[in-house]
Each structure stands twice: as C-alpha cells, then as structure tokens.
C-alpha cells in the first residue's frame, strides 16, 4: 500500500537584511572580477580633471584658481560614470535568466536591486576619494572644516545613492545591456549643462534657465560652497530636495519594473 508523501512546508522568508547582505556581497564580488569598469570609472574623471585643469584651465582662469572651481564638478561626473555601470549589471541579470531563480526564493524583490545599488555606492565612494586625492595633487586646496567635510560627504553619498537607483531602474527598463548603456550615457551629459565646469552666467541666455534649474547645478554649487567657502544661499536645500526626489522616483519606478518584468518571465 502506497503512502502519501508528506507535504513540504514552504521555506520561511529571510529575516532582517539577510537577503540584502547576500546580494551586496554578490555584487561586490562581480565588481572585483570586473576591475576594468572600476578602473575606467576612476580614470575617466581623473583624465577629465587633468584636461580641464592643465589644458583649458589657463584660458578659463589665468590665476590658476580654476582647479578649486572644477573639482566639485569632477566629483559628480565621477559618480555618474561609476553609477552608469549599474544599469548594465541589472540588464545583464534580467537577460541571463537568473532573475527567474531569484523569484523562486523566499526573499524580497527589492533585495536584488539593493545589492546592486549598495555595491555601486561603495565603489563610487572609493572612486570619489581617489579623484579628490588626485585633485589635491594638482592644486585643489579645500578650506572645509570637519563639519563641512562631513556635510559634503553626506551630500555626495546621497547623490550617488539617488543616481545609482535611477541607473538601476534604467537597467530594468532597457531591453538589453547595450540599450541600458546607451540610455545611461545620455544622463552623463547633465554635468556639462550645469555650473560644474563654467558659471551659469557665462552661458548663452537661452541656456541659462536650463542650467540653473536642473539637479546638478544646486548639488555642485553646494559641494563648492562646503569645500571652498563659495556662497551657498539656498543651494543645499535644493540639492537635498533634488536628490530625495530622484531617489523616491527611482525606487518606485524600479520596484514597479522589477515586479512587472520578473512576473512575465
């Protein structure tokens, strides 16, 4: 006489942030194996800074003070280059089919994106530190106190978090890693249409409203004010507001895309 096999109880979901920590470790291991992406995320902004400081800096500001103006803009450019790779990593996960396996596991869907984002945040903070160090070597002389350095670091981390979540959502929305790379590349032009490299007042009159009212300008002006004591006015409030708005929109958009796309697979 055959006996019915006992029912297998479903595996309980992971508690706390166990799932997130696992995916952060996974993304960090992938980053170590893809050292070229990390190297390029550092080398491109450093090369850009050397070019603007040594090639264009003398024409823009013959006094040699241009390096203090441009380094905050280079910091945000560095963050953009580093975060852009997140879109490709997420698109690769969606195309490879590993998301199907993750969907069968008792974990939150957001843990996959959180792993990519936190790993990118750590990579970008390291790259930012390198860029600031190179800036000091070429003449950057910040005047910030400990509190101002802390505020600048917090703003940089918040911006990296927001832009990385946005790139992760772009990776979900794109149909392929190549498409994700192309869409992300378009966002990397935003610093060039801001006060990152030249004052907004020096731009054509029709372009000044665009440059003054986009997210990068108040963020870079806030960093410049914190690090070099340039006038701040209300820029930090605008900078934090823009970062939080981008972060909220990106998280909601990314979560919706993940549930929608993963459910189709």
């Amino acid at each position: 006489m055959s006996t019915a096999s006992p029912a297998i109880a479903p595996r309980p979901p992971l508690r706390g942030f166990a799932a997130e920590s696992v995916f952060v470790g996974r993304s960090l291991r992938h980053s170590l194996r893809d050292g070229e992406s990390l190297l390029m995320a550092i080398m491109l902004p450093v090369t850009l800074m050397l070019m603007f400081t040594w090639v264009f800096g003398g024409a823009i500001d013959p006094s040699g003070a241009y390096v203090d103006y441009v380094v905050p803009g280079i910091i945000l450019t560095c963050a953009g280059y580093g975060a852009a790779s997140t879109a490709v990593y997420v698109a690769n996960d969606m195309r490879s089919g590993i998301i199907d396996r993750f969907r069968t596991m008792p974990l939150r869907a957001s843990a996959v994106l959180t792993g990519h984002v936190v790993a990118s945040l750590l990579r970008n903070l390291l790259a930012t530190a390198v860029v600031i160090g190179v800036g000091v070597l070429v003449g950057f002389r910040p005047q910030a106190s400990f509190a101002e350095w802390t505020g600048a670091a917090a703003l940089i981390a918040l911006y990296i978090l927001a832009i990385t979540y946005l790139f992760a959502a772009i990776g979900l929305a794109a149909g392929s890693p190549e498409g994700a790379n192309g869409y992300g590349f378009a966002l990397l032009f935003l610093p060039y249409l801001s006060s990152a490299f030249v004052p907004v007042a020096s731009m054509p009159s029709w372009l000044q409203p665009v440059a003054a009212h986009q997210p990068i300008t108040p963020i870079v002006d806030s960093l410049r004010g914190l690090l070099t004591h340039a006038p701040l006015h209300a820029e930090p409030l605008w900078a934090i507001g823009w970062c939080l708005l981008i972060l909220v929109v990106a998280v909601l958009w990314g979560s919706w895309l993940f549930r929608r796309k993963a459910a189709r697979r």
Side-chain angles (χ1 to χ4, degrees):
M1 182 177 65
S2 62
T3 58
S5 58
I8 300 176
R11 184 181 299 177
L14 297 176
R15 297 182 178 276
F17 295 98
E20 282 79 2
S21 63
V22 170
F23 281 104
V24 169
R26 170 181 178 265
S27 296
L28 286 175
R29 287 191 295 272
H30 286 179
S31 298
L32 293 176
R33 294 169 188 164
D34 188 16
E36 292 180 356
S37 295
L38 179 60
L39 182 63
M40 291 303 296
I42 297 174
M43 291 304 298
L44 284 176
V46 167
T47 303
L48 194 65
M49 179 169 55
L50 296 178
M51 182 179 66
F52 271 90
T53 303
W54 290 344
V55 179
F56 304 132
I60 297 174
D61 187 353
S63 68
Y66 182 65
V67 64
D68 290 332
Y69 183 91
V70 78
V71 166
I74 296 294
I75 290 173
L76 296 190
T77 305
C78 170
Y81 282 128
S85 61
T86 306
V88 179
Y89 290 145
V90 172
N92 269 323
D93 274 355
M94 295 299 294
R95 187 171 70 172
S96 68
I98 197 171
I99 298 298
D100 293 334
R101 175 59 176 160
F102 293 155
R103 291 283 295 178
T104 66
M105 297 179 180
L107 51 85
R108 291 181 292 276
S110 61
V112 182
L113 292 184
T114 301
H116 282 295
V117 169
V118 173
S120 178
L121 175 63
L122 296 176
R123 291 195 308 267
N124 281 315
L125 289 176
L126 173 62
T128 300
V130 172
V131 168
I132 293 175
V134 174
V136 171
L137 291 178
V138 299
F140 178 52
R141 296 296 179 263
Q143 307 167 21
S145 63
F146 177 78
E148 289 168 331
W149 270 110
T150 302
L155 181 57
I156 292 170
L158 179 60
Y159 172 74
I160 293 174
L161 184 65
I163 197 70
T164 303
Y165 252 114
L166 181 59
F167 275 113
I170 289 173
L172 288 173
S176 66
E178 294 78 13
N181 189 45
Y183 297 142
F185 187 75
L187 290 179
L188 299 181
F189 282 97
L190 279 180
Y192 301 98
L193 298 177
S194 72
S195 63
F197 299 102
V198 294
V200 173
S202 67
M203 299 179 183
S205 58
W206 60 269
L207 187 58
Q208 290 182 18
V210 177
H213 297 96
Q214 61 127 313
I216 301 297
T217 292
I219 298 173
V220 73
D221 286 347
S222 298
L223 287 180
R224 192 173 288 125
L226 290 170
L227 297 179
T228 66
H229 292 172
L232 277 174
H233 305 298
E235 299 307 307
L237 297 178
W238 282 105
I240 294 172
W242 270 115
C243 288
L244 292 178
L245 177 62
I246 294 171
L247 180 60
V248 170
V249 170
V251 169
L252 294 177
W253 184 34
S255 299
W256 177 77
L257 283 171
F258 187 91
R259 290 192 300 267
R260 179 171 171 266
K261 288 206 166 188
R264 289 180 176 179
R265 301 176 71 87

